[in-house]
Amino acid sequence: MFKAIADPADCEVRSVIRLLKAKKVKPAEIHRQLVEFYGENVMTDGMVRKWVRQFNDGRTNVHDEARSGRPFVVNDGLVAKVNEKIRENKRFTIRMLFDEFPQISKTVLHEIVTSSLNYRKLCSRWVPKMLTDVHKMK
């Protein structure tokens, strides 16, 4: 028995499906071989059949197509602007930040404040999670 290949890329698995489909291997056999080489959680039988159908219909690209959806808006410049607003007024609320940055949802703003900037709520002030020695001296 072969050692299972751990965590294969999706495009790698789809390439194998495309190759085996070109060799006229049936979808059930393709799934069995994928499970043998990549492990039980590689891809369901239904997904293998879907990809075989797509390749039969003329698809040649094994990579994901671009999806529509909300664009990712968090970048270093935005995090710096949020940090600047926080330093202006430590008694801020997420709602106040939302008024300053209406293009960003409250959830994303909260994520920036807590994860990216490592602030946490202390009484009615936001303070850095990790205090430096200088902060401790003050």
Side-chain angles (χ1 to χ4, degrees):
M1 191 77 180
F2 301 102
K3 181 181 176 191
I5 299 171
D7 200 25
D10 291 339
C11 59
E12 176 185 351
V13 175
R14 293 176 197 147
S15 297
V16 172
I17 293 171
R18 186 172 175 215
L19 172 73
L20 293 174
K21 188 224 69 108
K23 288 185 167 187
K24 308 272 192 257
V25 178
K26 299 209 180 287
E29 178 61 20
I30 293 174
H31 181 257
R32 189 195 62 71
Q33 288 184 25
L34 287 175
V35 169
E36 180 181 347
F37 286 105
Y38 293 111
E40 286 293 323
N41 296 326
V42 63
M43 188 180 280
T44 64
D45 186 47
M47 286 301 292
V48 171
R49 291 177 190 281
K50 174 187 162 204
W51 279 101
V52 168
R53 258 192 323 273
Q54 287 185 12
F55 291 135
N56 283 335
D57 292 341
R59 180 175 179 151
T60 58
N61 189 1
V62 295
H63 298 284
D64 287 328
E65 294 176 353
R67 299 179 191 165
S68 63
R70 188 172 187 155
F72 190 69
V73 295
V74 178
N75 56 34
D76 293 337
L78 180 63
V79 172
K81 288 178 186 175
V82 170
N83 193 27
E84 183 180 313
K85 286 293 178 187
I86 291 171
R87 291 190 180 276
E88 287 176 11
N89 178 14
K90 294 257 187 194
R91 294 181 186 268
F92 74 94
T93 62
I94 299 297
R95 175 72 192 169
M96 291 166 66
L97 281 179
F98 180 70
D99 291 340
E100 294 288 329
F101 303 100
Q103 73 275 16
I104 304 167
S105 70
K106 293 176 194 168
T107 307
V108 172
L109 282 171
H110 188 270
E111 187 72 23
I112 289 171
V113 170
T114 57
S115 297
S116 299
L117 297 174
N118 289 325
Y119 282 99
R120 66 182 179 92
K121 195 83 165 170
L122 182 66
C123 295
S124 62
R125 297 184 78 175
W126 287 87
V127 296
K129 238 181 209 179
M130 301 298 290
L131 294 176
T132 63
D133 292 333
V134 175
H135 289 115
K136 291 176 184 175
M137 295 298 289
K138 287 182 182 179

